[in-house]
Structures are given as C-alpha cells and as structure tokens.
Amino acid sequence: MFRTALRNVFAHKARLLMTVLAVMLGVAFVSGTLVFADTLSNAFRNQSAKSYDNVAVAITSYADSDNAKEEPGLSRKTLDKIAAVDGVDAAYGRVEGFAGVADPDGKLIGVGWSNKGSNFDPGKDGKDPAYTFTDGSGPVKDGQIALDKESAAKGEYQVGDRVRVATNGPVKEYTLSGVFTTEDGAVNAGGSLVLFDTAVAQKQYLKPGYFDSATVTAAPGADDAKILAAVEPLLPDSAEAQTGQALADEQAEQIEQGLGSLKQVLLGFAGIALFVGIFLISNTFTMLVAQRTKEIALMRAVGASRRQITRSVLAEAAVVGLVASVIGFVLGIGLAVGLRSGMAAFGMKIPGGPLILSVTPVLAAVGVGVLITMFAAWLPGRRAAKIPPVAAMSSVHAAATTKSLVVRNSIGAAITALGAVGIVLGASSGGDDGRMYIAAGAFFALVGVIILIPLLSRPVIALVRPLLVGPFGVAGKLAGQNAVRNPRRTGATASALAIGLTLVTGLSVLGATVGAAIDKMTTDNIKADYMVSMANGGALDQSALTALEKAKGVSAVSPQQSVYFELGDEDFVSASAVTPGDIERVLNVDVVSGDIGSLAEGRIAVAEKTAKNRGWKPGDSIPVTFNDEKKDTLTVGAVFKDSEFLSPVLIDTKVVNPHEVQPSIQQIFVKVDGGQSSANEQVLTDALGDNPAITIMDQQDIRNEFGGVINTLLNIMYGLLAMALIIAVLGVVNTLAMSVFERQQEIGMLRAIGLDRRRVKRMIRLEAVVISVFGAVVGIGLGSFLGWAIGETFADQIPGYALVLPWDRIGIFLVLAGLVGVLAALWPARNAARLNMLNAIKAE
C-alpha cells in the first residue's frame, strides 16, 4: 500500500502541485517567523552584551528632580568616591534627554521618539569607553557636539561644520567636534545621538554637578560582584546598582518578551494561512480519490481493507507534506532574511549577526507541514475507504446520501447558531470579556458557515445565474450549472476565500468605524487652526508658548499643560492648565452649568463625569495640594461635557505655574487671522525659530495623526492576510484544473456539437468568477457582522461611535474576488480550450 501511495504521488505530480504550494507557503510563514525571531533575539542579545562588555557595575538614579528636598541624581562627589573603590578603574557619569538634529534642509534627522542627547564624559586618557570616534574627538566645551555616524551621514555633516540642534528649548548652533559609533539603543532604533560637554548636558537636562546614571569599569583582574558590594553603600537611597552582566541579561529578557509578542502575531497569521490551506488540501485529495474510485474499488475487491485504503491516502499526504515542508523551510529562511532587510528599509537598524537556524524551526516546519496535510487528507481517505467495491465499479462520482446531507446541514446550522449567540453576547457584554465571547463565537460561526456553504451555494448562485445567461449565452448557462454541480467542492473552494475576506472585511469595518469616530471627534472638538507639539511626544518649553503668543496674526493661543492635584491621601486628579478666554476659541468647551469665563478669576472648570463622580457643582470649594506641596482651596466655576481633548479639570496657567518647577506643556493650540494657509504656517515656524523638533499640524494633519495609526495597522494586517488570500487563489486554480480534467469527455462533447474554444474558455472563467464572488459574499457578510460586534465592545470609550460600512472597500473586495476568478481560470481555461475533441470523448 505504501508503494501504491508513492506511485500515486508521482502519477499526479501536476495535480498535487497546488497542494504543495499551499503547504509550502504556510510552512514558510511559520519557519520564517521562528528563524526571524531567533535571529533578531540573538542579534539584540549580542548587542546588549557588547554594550556592557566593559561595564563592571551600572548605576541608575530614580530621584525626583522636581523635589527640592532630595538630590536630583548622582553627584560628582559620589562618583569620585566610587572611583576610589578598590578594583575600580573609572566611573563615568551619564545624563540624558531629548535632542533633535536638523539636516541641511531644516528637517529632523531620525524618528523623533528615539532622538537622544547625552554627555561625553572622558576618563584620565581623554576617552569615553561608550563611544568609538571614527573622526575628530568628543566635545569638551560649550558650543561643541559630537554626532553618531549614521546621523552625520544623513545630514552630510563633517567635523568642523555648524549643526543646528533642538532640545526642549530654542534651537542652537554647535560646532561638530567628532563622529562616533555606538551600541546605544536610540541609534539602533533609527534615532540619533548627540553628545554634549558634560557641564552643558547637566545644565540642559538635570542640574549642574549631577547625573542620571553611571557606569563603572573594573581594573584588570577585579571581581564585579565585590565592586558591586563596595559601591552600594556609597549610593543615595534613590539609586540602585547591578553588575553589567546582570543588566545585560535583564535587557536580553526584555528583548525576548518584546519579540515574543511579534512572534505570536506572525504565527497567528501563519495559522490562518494554514487553516485556509486545509480546504485546498482536502479539496485536492477529495478530487483525487474521486478520480481513482475504480482503482480503489479494485483494491478493495482483491482484499485491501478500509484501514489500508485510508493509510494509503494518508501516506500519500505525508509524502506531499514532507516535500512541501522541506521547500517551505528553505523559503522561510529567505522570508526571514527579507523581513530583516525590510525592517532596515523602514529605518529600524537591526544589529549585525548570523542567521540563526535552530532545531525548533526545522521541527516546526516538518511537523506542521506533514501533520496539516495528513489532517486535511484524513476525511477524503476515510470517505474513500467507505466506498463499496460493487457500487464504485459503475460510478465515478458517488453522490452523498440524503441522510448525510441532512446530518451535515443540521450540525452546521447548530454550530453557526452557537457562534452567532456568542458574538451577540460578546457585543452586548462589552469590554475584554465581550471580546473573548466574540473570539469564541467567531470561531464557531466560521466553522458552521463552512459546513453550510455547500447548502448555501445552490440558492445563492441560482440568484446570479440569470445574469450569466443573458450576456454570455450558453457559456454563461453552463458555467452556472457547473458551479453548483458539486456543492461540496464549490463550498470547499469558496470557504478558503470566505475565511480570508471575513478577516479582511472585519478589520475594514472596524477601521472605518473607529476612523470615522475619531475624525468626527477631531472635527467637533478642535476650533484651532494649528496644534503645536514636540516630535518626540515630550513637553514643549515655556519659550515656545511665549513665542506663539507674540507671533503676528495669532488671535488665540492656549496650552494644554499637564498638571496633577492631590485631593487627599494618594487621591489625585489630572488637570490641564489653559489660557482663560482663549481656550474656548481653540477647543470646543460645551458648558453644562456655571460660567467658563470664571477661569480668569482663578476658578476651575470640571468635566461632567468627574463632577458627578465626586459630587462637585459650581460654587463648591475643593482643598488641593500642588506639586510643591503648598495647599490651597479652589472653587468650581463651571461644569463642561467630557471631551477627548480636555482633561477632567481646567485651570488658569497663572494659578499653577508658581507651583511648577518646569511647566509640562504637551500641546499648544493656535488660532490665526485668515485661518489655515502656508503663509500663516510659515509665520508660526519662524516664530518658533524654525525648530526641527517641533511639529506644527493643521486640522487635517491632526485628523491624520489620530487616524493614521489605524490605517497603518490595517495595512499591516492586510499584508499579513495576503498569504491566506494567495492560498485561497491557489485553491480556485486547483479546483478548476481538477474540474477540467474530470470533465474532459463532457468538454469534448461540447466542442463536438459546436461550442468553440472562445466559449469554452468563457465558461471556465465564469465558473471561477461565480465561485470566487460567492465566497467573497459569504466572507463580507460574516466579516461585517464581526466588525460590528467587536466595535460594540468599546463603543462607549469613543465619543460619537457609530457603525460605518466601508462600501467603497467592500466594492473593491468584490471586484478583486471576480478578478481572482478570472486570473485563477487562465491556465485551466486554456487547457480546456486546447483539448483534442476525439481524445477527450474517448477519455474515461
């Protein structure tokens, strides 16, 4: 029986090709993900270890720089004591913050959130071991900086050039003293690193004479653990120390956790691709078994048992799965290399290192490929074993019994109903629990619909059959009949497309609905012409607000300054310090009670939900403690409707600024005479000193900022789901190719009675289009239902949330499904049209 299985594999190489491709793509996704994750993990671990190669002890301070009662970090005096410890070679202090470098065109180099500034802290030899200079030297006085090699290359800067650098304050020009290489994580993440003289960096980021952290190097032969034990008693309570090796291990563990999430997401999509592939594989083996019915009957007649027949089919599947797994693993290695290159192309610098080929991806590739193929082939093999020898001798196609159809459809209806109940229950429950119900319901609904698809195919396709007969005549009529001739085959083929489009449509409905809500929220709440913020998401300097207030043509300007009040023991409320009178002109403040104008009198305005929860109303007095621990009593002057752009409490900047060491201004909203225009935007840019680290967004930019994340995620999801859709297309091609082979005699007869080659091709193409569009309709319907349900679980968290069906995208999906059918039919239609009439009529 094993020899028979091998013979069948070699006898049907072309027909099994699509199965090999489906398994191969799924295995490539799985193995590529595992190899990619292992390679990245190893590279980052090596980089982490390398960055702490010469570090005996690493010290980090967690001091509150705003607290006047404690030191803001590690003092130089403390570092000198550490440097005197037995076995210590040197102690290097570090202070860090944001620093953005402008290129010659004034644009920010790097990605904003990972643009960093630090200090150059040379030892006795004039070198800082954290940096290797390839040109020039480190900055040793005010007015000098050093740049990492990547940023210097992007800006085309050379030693001696003048470089514009922005921190949280105004832009300044510095002389480039040197260019260096580093293992710093900011640079590896696609950002930039600017080194200042230590005194300059301390003044800029912390306080003169203090550091955020420090690294200690050991003298030759010294023991790191002993140095750590000697250093710890010298540290303030707000600092902690650990060995360089321990810190490297800790970072390696964090890297593993971060990559673990990415790996799970990619493996999830690989699982979807393999799930879709199951239908293709099952369909292929079902058709192959049907074509070998007489052969199987003969084997049964000469003594082969049912178990042997099933084993023969499974052995055939195992051989196919093994071949596909080997090819898929090789493809997966290429995919891993491609993913690594792709990340680099998007500005994410990946540390160098070898490609890691561990045992796990190999075992996963072989195990997944072989097991999935055998699982998919088990049911066709079981059906083949049940064929009675006498019945099989006289019938190539054994029709399903009425009883089997009733049982199948009853089970499918029950499972679908169970899934629908779970989805509706999840939608009504909301929250994380609701999404769990929806996930379970979606699984059962998909399985149920897949079981019912053969039953659905006849009535649904019957509706479109008249549309085929009119324009396409006989070819259209035959295509409609062929599409429902074998409902199980049509259902299995359409199921693959239905699964892919269920997920794609669900994501599209969700994305369109959330995007529309966010867009409406932005439009309804922002009156300002521009929003100003830092590129790294940090706080703006007070000087930026002052500059905008003085800018020509500015009619209203208000900051969103982050503030916290203490109301009692560990009871805090967040607030925004704003400019009274201007805040109503730049943001929509919908007052419920009281007077928003009372902000100018030192009163506060409270959001409706906060007021209700705390029992506050206009006129109430609230005792508070500010950041500097000074106490005061604030009076509620107004209650306004909650808004995503307003904090629970609004207060005048003049009231809170005396209590703040450094105001934390997150955004500044600006309204200008004449509205949005390139000229007005240039006025604001000039007022801010052409600062590359400050972003000026108009209303459309703001909408894109909030909605852009959703669109980016959708595009990533579409890309990952493309693998499943490719496999679904292969399924359509495979089904048509098999169908043409089975209908050789019929096609020969049609050709003999006058159906020309052009109409034969049209018949096959229309059949493919009907099956593809049928699968798409099922997928779009189920996907829209799931998109609605998931959206309902967080509808209360997004103001103005309302279901939006993206009809434009749905239309595109249907057109693409039809196009898939046309493309999938190219090869089968060509083969059908080229059949020799006489040979085809004689074919069995």
Side-chain angles (χ1 to χ4, degrees):
M1 295 304 293
F2 183 69
R3 285 198 300 270
T4 303
L6 286 177
R7 187 205 66 191
N8 286 327
V9 170
F10 289 113
H12 304 112
K13 295 188 290 291
R15 280 176 259 174
L16 288 168
L17 177 62
M18 297 301 173
T19 298
V20 171
L21 284 173
V23 179
M24 180 183 74
L25 289 173
V27 168
F29 213 152
V30 172
S31 57
T33 296
L34 294 174
V35 171
F36 174 66
D38 288 346
T39 300
L40 246 64
S41 178
N42 181 72
F44 280 116
R45 271 200 311 269
N46 290 343
Q47 181 197 53
S48 179
K50 187 178 179 182
S51 62
Y52 291 102
D53 240 356
N54 300 318
V55 177
V57 173
I59 305 167
T60 306
S61 171
Y62 298 100
D64 182 3
S65 57
D66 292 336
N67 192 334
K69 294 184 178 180
E70 64 178 22
E71 290 188 315
L74 300 166
S75 66
R76 173 58 74 179
K77 185 179 178 181
T78 300
L79 289 190
D80 289 341
K81 290 179 181 178
I82 292 170
V85 168
D86 188 33
V88 170
D89 180 53
Y92 300 90
R94 306 291 176 205
V95 59
E96 297 177 350
F98 170 76
V101 183
D103 65 16
D105 295 327
K107 304 297 183 183
L108 184 68
I109 295 174
V111 292
W113 56 269
S114 61
N115 289 338
K116 194 171 79 171
S118 188
N119 66 301
F120 176 70
D121 191 23
K124 297 173 184 176
D125 57 358
K127 296 180 180 179
D128 189 327
Y131 313 106
T132 302
F133 280 82
T134 59
D135 192 15
S137 58
V140 291
K141 61 181 180 181
D142 193 359
Q144 288 186 335
I145 61 160
L147 270 181
D148 68 274
K149 189 176 179 180
E150 294 286 335
S151 300
K154 289 176 184 175
E156 300 179 354
Y157 290 123
Q158 296 180 347
V159 172
D161 288 349
R162 298 289 288 174
V163 182
R164 296 175 71 244
V165 179
T167 53
N168 286 3
V171 180
K172 293 182 181 179
E173 273 200 356
Y174 297 85
T175 300
L176 185 63
S177 67
V179 176
F180 59 89
T181 58
T182 178
E183 297 297 331
D184 191 280
V187 176
N188 289 312
S192 61
L193 178 59
V194 181
L195 294 183
F196 300 92
D197 172 59
T198 295
V200 174
Q202 287 176 329
K203 182 180 179 182
Q204 200 157 246
Y205 296 127
L206 194 58
K207 187 177 179 181
Y210 288 91
F211 301 93
D212 294 316
S213 59
T215 55
V216 179
T217 57
D223 182 74
D224 292 354
K226 289 182 179 179
I227 293 175
L228 176 63
V231 165
E232 283 182 322
L234 303 176
L235 300 178
D237 293 338
S238 58
E240 68 174 20
Q242 57 188 139
T243 62
Q245 183 61 52
L247 188 57
D249 292 342
E250 184 180 297
Q251 288 194 359
E253 187 178 337
Q254 292 172 353
I255 290 166
E256 288 282 354
Q257 291 174 353
L259 291 175
S261 301
L262 173 64
K263 185 162 68 174
Q264 287 173 6
V265 170
L266 292 175
L267 287 175
F269 283 95
I272 292 169
L274 287 167
F275 185 56
V276 172
I278 287 174
F279 295 94
L280 190 158
I281 300 164
S282 181
N283 219 10
T284 301
F285 277 93
T286 298
M287 288 184 281
L288 286 174
V289 166
Q291 291 166 11
R292 300 205 309 264
T293 305
K294 287 187 178 181
E295 175 190 320
I296 292 169
L298 182 60
M299 292 171 67
R300 290 291 313 281
V302 297
S305 66
R306 288 185 174 185
R307 184 174 295 179
Q308 285 178 309
I309 296 295
T310 304
R311 284 177 179 174
S312 175
V313 175
L314 291 178
E316 189 177 338
V319 172
V320 172
L322 184 61
V323 171
S325 296
V326 172
I327 300 172
F329 179 70
V330 174
L331 255 179
I333 294 173
L335 180 64
V337 173
L339 284 171
R340 185 171 176 174
S341 301
M343 289 183 73
F346 280 102
M348 295 185 68
K349 185 181 174 185
I350 307 301
L355 199 68
I356 303 300
L357 300 177
S358 63
V359 177
T360 303
V362 177
L363 294 177
V366 175
V368 167
V370 173
L371 291 176
I372 287 291
T373 311
M374 291 180 69
F375 173 76
W378 174 76
L379 190 58
R382 187 167 173 270
R383 284 183 191 147
K386 286 184 175 182
I387 297 174
V390 175
M393 288 293 186
S394 59
S395 176
V396 176
H397 303 290
T401 64
T402 303
K403 180 181 178 182
S404 70
L405 290 175
V406 169
V407 171
R408 175 192 177 104
N409 294 333
S410 299
I411 293 172
I415 294 175
T416 304
L418 179 64
V421 169
I423 293 170
V424 172
L425 179 63
S428 59
S429 300
D432 292 336
D433 291 340
R435 286 187 278 275
M436 291 295 289
Y437 286 130
I438 291 171
F443 174 76
F444 285 110
L446 265 175
V447 172
V449 168
I450 288 165
I451 295 172
L452 287 175
I453 270 187
L455 176 67
L456 296 172
S457 64
R458 288 186 181 276
V460 174
I461 294 176
L463 292 174
V464 299
R465 195 179 297 168
L467 301 176
L468 300 176
V469 177
F472 304 108
V474 174
K477 182 178 180 180
L478 291 171
Q481 291 173 345
N482 291 334
V484 293
R485 177 181 293 184
N486 191 329
R488 281 186 173 178
R489 182 187 303 167
T490 298
T493 306
S495 293
L497 274 172
I499 293 168
L501 281 172
T502 294
L503 298 171
V504 169
T505 305
L507 287 170
S508 298
V509 169
L510 198 58
T513 303
V514 174
I518 290 175
D519 192 60
K520 184 177 184 299
M521 179 177 69
T522 306
T523 306
D524 290 350
N525 287 286
I526 297 180
K527 296 180 181 179
D529 297 311
Y530 296 99
M531 183 177 82
V532 178
S533 60
M534 289 292 291
N536 68 331
L540 288 154
D541 190 73
Q542 182 72 32
S543 61
L545 177 62
T546 304
L548 290 171
E549 288 173 337
K550 295 178 180 178
K552 182 181 178 182
V554 171
S555 57
V557 56
S558 177
Q560 278 269 46
Q561 182 177 319
S562 182
V563 182
Y564 288 92
F565 300 139
E566 186 177 352
L567 301 178
D569 293 337
E570 298 184 0
D571 183 13
F572 293 87
V573 63
S574 62
S576 283
V578 299
T579 303
D582 283 3
I583 186 64
E584 310 98 289
R585 299 181 62 191
V586 296
L587 292 176
N588 183 25
V589 185
D590 194 351
V591 178
V592 176
S593 59
D595 180 14
I596 194 68
S598 62
L599 285 173
E601 301 169 7
R603 298 195 173 197
I604 60 173
V606 183
E608 193 172 18
K609 286 182 182 177
T610 302
K612 183 178 179 181
N613 291 339
R614 295 185 177 273
W616 294 345
K617 60 184 183 298
D620 287 353
S621 297
I622 302 164
V624 300
T625 304
F626 290 102
N627 278 346
D628 59 358
E629 298 187 0
K630 291 184 179 179
K631 300 182 184 295
D632 199 352
T633 300
L634 300 175
T635 303
V636 177
V639 174
F640 61 90
K641 286 187 177 180
D642 290 78
S643 166
E644 291 296 313
F645 290 89
L646 293 169
S647 293
V649 175
L650 301 181
I651 188 169
D652 189 352
T653 54
K654 293 177 181 177
V655 175
V656 298
N657 281 351
H659 305 283
E660 299 288 322
V661 175
Q662 180 66 41
S664 179
I665 302 173
Q666 300 305 309
Q667 298 102 18
I668 301 175
F669 291 94
V670 184
K671 196 167 186 63
V672 293
D673 296 333
Q676 300 173 20
S677 68
S678 54
N680 280 336
E681 187 171 334
Q682 189 59 49
V683 167
L684 299 185
T685 301
D686 293 340
L688 294 167
D690 195 16
N691 192 323
I694 295 180
T695 303
I696 300 173
M697 292 186 283
D698 59 24
Q699 287 197 358
Q700 186 58 51
D701 292 331
I702 297 169
R703 289 154 73 180
N704 293 341
E705 175 79 8
F706 289 98
V709 176
I710 296 170
N711 291 329
T712 300
L713 287 174
L714 278 177
N715 291 333
I716 292 171
M717 296 293 185
Y718 289 157
L720 292 171
L721 286 171
M723 187 72 76
L725 292 174
I726 290 170
I727 293 174
V729 173
L730 291 176
V732 179
V733 175
N734 207 26
T735 299
L736 290 172
M738 293 287 199
S739 181
V740 167
F741 178 82
E742 284 182 0
R743 302 203 310 258
Q744 286 184 77
Q745 193 175 58
E746 175 191 317
I747 293 170
M749 289 294 293
L750 289 171
R751 292 275 287 113
I753 62 175
L755 196 69
D756 59 24
R757 289 184 174 182
R758 183 170 56 84
R759 283 188 287 182
V760 168
K761 287 182 179 179
R762 184 179 296 167
M763 176 183 72
I764 302 298
R765 287 172 188 156
L766 289 173
E767 181 182 347
V769 169
V770 167
I771 293 173
S772 299
V773 173
F774 168 58
V777 168
V778 173
I780 288 169
L782 188 54
S784 299
F785 181 45
L786 284 175
W788 162 80
I790 296 171
E792 287 296 309
T793 61
F794 51 77
D796 58 342
Q797 300 171 24
I798 303 177
Y801 182 93
L803 179 67
V804 175
L805 291 176
W807 294 110
D808 53 344
R809 294 187 189 182
I810 289 174
I812 290 171
F813 296 157
L814 287 172
V815 171
L816 287 177
L819 183 61
V820 161
V822 172
L823 294 175
L826 289 177
W827 176 50
R830 183 170 175 269
N831 286 347
R834 293 176 65 184
L835 284 175
N836 182 285
M837 279 183 274
L838 295 178
N839 291 339
I841 291 170
K842 290 187 294 181
E844 292 189 9

